[in-house]
Amino acid sequence: LQIQEHYTDTSGYTEQVFAMCHLLGFKFAPRMRDLPDKKLYTFEPTSSEEILSPLLGGKINVKLISESWDEILRLA
């Protein structure tokens, strides 16, 4: 099968699944319940941070990603 897009309901959604789908080259399209309660995470603050501040949950831990990169690729 040539998977181009993966769909799931709310219980199948995690940040890790988003990342794995991206690493494997296909889209992840979850149907997410309670979307307004979800938070976004950024690498660096942006100039529009004030507008987005209610949606932001924090910064991405780049050090943790770097330290775990070999394991992430092994999982993918």
Side-chain angles (χ1 to χ4, degrees):
L1 297 173
Q2 276 304 108
I3 298 172
Q4 295 180 8
E5 211 164 17
H6 174 65
Y7 295 89
T8 187
D9 61 9
T10 298
S11 61
Y13 147 78
T14 66
E15 289 84 357
Q16 293 85 352
V17 174
F18 269 110
M20 285 296 110
C21 288
H22 180 74
L23 283 173
L24 295 171
F26 54 92
K27 295 178 185 174
F28 181 48
R31 293 178 291 273
M32 297 166 58
R33 180 181 50 221
D34 302 326
L35 187 58
D37 297 333
K38 305 296 183 221
K39 297 292 181 184
L40 300 173
Y41 293 82
T42 60
F43 287 101
E44 296 292 330
T46 63
S47 60
S48 61
E49 189 171 312
E50 289 181 23
I51 296 169
L52 296 176
S53 62
L55 303 174
L56 297 179
K59 291 184 181 179
I60 294 171
N61 187 341
V62 177
K63 183 179 177 190
L64 180 61
I65 294 171
S66 296
E67 291 171 353
S68 306
W69 189 247
D70 289 339
E71 289 299 310
I72 292 169
L73 292 180
R74 187 182 66 78
L75 176 62

